[in-house]
């Protein structure tokens, strides 16, 4: 199974698109974690997939089948529940809530859920309170504030929600978020 995770990005994408969810799933928990993490990370950030919507759709379809197969074996796999949000075109409140409940504070699932929120902004009214909880959880750590600062800069529809949560945070977290946002604006601008 690890052969799917070796090679250049185009080779990995081609391998995952051709994978069979029934026969190519790793037997170890570590292998499934690495595979689903790679699927989600590539779907969120690959320039090759961003440039070719047809490839992205096929890739997401393969990753979604792999995620379903993993969840059939382990319905509470927090990484898989978070990654599954990446592969779907229609974000549902129930799926998002299930992913959040499985690992509310674990960094990779939390960061992935926040990037899914960014991708799906503006958010539906029923998703807002659930998203607030993730934003509040991200404010606690420096990596979370860094991720939120980037989302705040890139996604105007999420700014009011991020600011609403920021106003409830302790002054040191507010200050750290503001500093991170300024730093990213200077660096990216």
């Amino acid at each position: 199974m690890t052969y799917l995770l070796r090679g250049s990005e185009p080779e990995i994408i081609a391998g995952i698109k051709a994978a069979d969810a029934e026969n190519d799933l790793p037997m170890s928990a570590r292998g499934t974690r690495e595979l689903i993490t790679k699927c989600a990370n590539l779907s969120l950030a690959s320039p090759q997939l961003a440039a070719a919507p047809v490839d992205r759709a096929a890739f997401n379809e393969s990753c979604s089948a792999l995620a379903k197969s993993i969840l059939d074996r382990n319905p509470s796999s927090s990484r898989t529940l978070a990654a599954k949000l990446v592969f779907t075109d229609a974000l549902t409140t129930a799926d998002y809530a299930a992913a959040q409940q499985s690992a509310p504070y674990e960094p990779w699932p939390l960061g992935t859920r926040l990037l899914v929120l960014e991708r799906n902004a503006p958010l539906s009214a029923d998703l807002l309170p659930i998203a607030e909880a993730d934003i509040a959880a991200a404010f606690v750590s420096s990596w979370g504030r860094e991720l939120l600062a980037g989302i705040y800069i890139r996604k105007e529809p999420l700014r009011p929600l991020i600011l609403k949560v920021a106003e409830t945070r302790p002054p040191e977290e507010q200050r750290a978020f503001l500093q991170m946002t300024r730093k990213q604006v200077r660096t990216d601008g």
Side-chain angles (χ1 to χ4, degrees):
M1 184 61 212
T2 57
Y3 67 90
L4 287 178
L5 302 176
R6 292 190 184 140
S8 66
E9 184 175 299
E11 291 170 335
I12 293 170
I13 290 170
I16 290 173
K17 282 190 337 191
D20 175 10
E22 297 299 318
N23 298 318
D24 286 335
L25 206 56
M27 295 308 291
S28 71
R30 179 181 178 197
T32 57
R33 184 179 63 245
E34 289 175 1
L35 176 63
I36 205 65
T37 300
K38 181 62 91 172
C39 276
N41 289 344
L42 285 171
S43 183
L44 286 167
S46 169
Q48 176 185 343
L49 292 175
V54 173
D55 282 348
R56 178 183 295 246
F59 181 79
N60 282 348
E61 189 176 317
S62 292
C63 288
S64 182
L66 290 168
K68 182 185 178 317
S69 187
I70 293 168
L71 290 171
D72 286 347
R73 280 201 244 163
N74 180 6
S76 63
S77 171
S78 60
R79 280 184 183 251
T80 307
L81 288 167
K84 184 178 153 196
L85 300 173
V86 175
F87 313 133
T88 184
D89 291 330
L91 180 62
T92 67
T93 303
D95 286 345
Y96 193 91
Q100 184 185 61
Q101 288 171 354
S102 71
Y105 306 109
E106 189 180 331
W108 190 88
L110 175 59
T112 300
R113 290 191 310 270
L114 290 171
L115 293 171
V116 166
L117 291 177
E118 178 183 15
R119 183 187 274 182
N120 287 278
L123 305 177
S124 63
D126 58 335
L127 190 55
L128 290 175
I130 300 168
E132 280 184 39
D134 274 351
I135 292 169
F139 259 98
V140 175
S141 64
S142 61
W143 70 264
R145 288 187 297 269
E146 182 177 357
L147 180 59
L148 285 173
I151 293 170
Y152 180 84
I153 292 165
R154 292 185 302 268
K155 269 303 186 201
E156 189 171 337
L158 290 178
R159 288 179 189 166
L161 182 62
I162 293 171
L163 288 176
K164 177 182 175 187
V165 173
E167 290 170 355
T168 68
R169 305 306 304 164
E172 60 274 3
E173 289 179 13
Q174 291 179 9
R175 196 170 25 261
F177 173 70
L178 184 60
Q179 289 171 343
M180 183 57 67
T181 304
R182 287 178 177 159
K183 178 182 174 186
Q184 286 190 24
V185 166
R186 280 193 308 270
T187 305
D188 295 339

